[in-house]
Amino acid sequence: DTRTNTEYTKPPDYLQESELIALMDQHGIGTDASIPQHIKNICDRHYVDVCGPMQEDGQRGQIIQMRKPFKKGGGPQQQQQPKPTSRHMVPRPFGLAFLACFEELDKELCDPKIRAYMEQQVTKIATGETDKNDVVESTLKLFHEKFNDFRNNMARIERYFAPKG
């Protein structure tokens, strides 16, 4: 008697917020004070959603609503969302398209080394190792060249933002 049992692999869960923070720290990106703002920015710009853990069927977890600032005077109380066991950074289609554009036009901008380099330059300014004006001048020159390359190659990335249909 021979029986077969078919099972399917499940994709890995999305990157947890704590893993993102650890990777940023590992690559020298941000400070304890600025990392929460970086995460808020990618959420506010609709690059990612923060969700609970992946469901058994492989679908992303429930979106975790960002807390609104407390307002005096009340108003209707909203029901608190149950606290998820973990917070996952789930890329949105716009975020994936944005990343694809950068990967195609200037892969270096997707590499954490460039951001880490900029953070190192700021530290060197703060410690007096480097002159602020020199850093500003070289950084503006670098990114002006990158901007011009980007602008001159915009036609290559139109497909990422064209309406589907």
Side-chain angles (χ1 to χ4, degrees):
D1 185 20
T2 305
R3 291 183 184 192
T4 62
N5 184 20
T6 303
E7 293 185 19
Y8 298 94
T9 59
K10 187 173 138 185
D13 209 343
Y14 294 101
L15 186 69
Q16 290 187 37
E17 188 175 36
S18 59
E19 294 169 322
L20 174 60
I21 291 168
L23 285 168
M24 290 174 74
D25 190 47
Q26 176 186 335
H27 290 283
I29 299 171
T31 64
D32 290 345
S34 68
I35 286 175
Q37 186 62 47
H38 291 307
I39 292 172
K40 181 181 182 313
N41 288 344
I42 63 173
C43 292
D44 289 350
R45 293 172 183 164
H46 305 289
Y47 300 151
V48 300
D49 285 323
V50 179
C51 299
M54 188 183 292
Q55 299 174 13
E56 286 300 314
D57 63 0
Q59 297 295 312
R60 69 166 170 73
Q62 181 180 6
I63 294 176
I64 298 170
Q65 300 300 319
M66 302 306 279
R67 293 188 192 119
K68 304 279 188 231
F70 176 75
K71 292 183 181 179
K72 281 188 173 182
Q77 290 289 329
Q78 291 185 6
Q79 189 175 0
Q80 260 322 73
Q81 201 176 11
K83 186 171 178 135
T85 55
S86 56
R87 296 169 52 93
H88 299 261
M89 310 302 287
V90 180
R92 295 182 78 179
F94 178 69
L96 293 172
F98 198 73
L99 175 63
C101 292
F102 275 86
E103 285 180 329
E104 183 162 326
L105 294 181
D106 191 339
K107 201 164 182 78
E108 183 182 36
L109 290 174
C110 301
D111 190 340
K113 291 176 190 169
I114 196 161
R115 181 62 189 238
Y117 173 77
M118 291 170 62
E119 299 271 354
Q120 291 166 356
Q121 294 305 304
V122 170
T123 300
K124 286 181 178 183
I125 292 168
T127 60
E129 295 176 56
T130 301
D131 179 62
K132 176 186 127 189
N133 293 331
D134 292 342
V135 171
V136 169
E137 184 180 328
S138 66
T139 302
L140 284 175
K141 183 176 187 261
L142 170 69
F143 282 97
H144 187 259
E145 290 169 6
K146 288 182 175 300
F147 172 79
N148 284 333
D149 288 344
F150 233 84
R151 186 176 53 192
N152 293 336
N153 288 292
M154 289 298 286
R156 288 177 40 201
I157 60 170
E158 286 177 3
R159 70 183 182 279
Y160 292 108
F161 299 102
K164 304 284 188 240

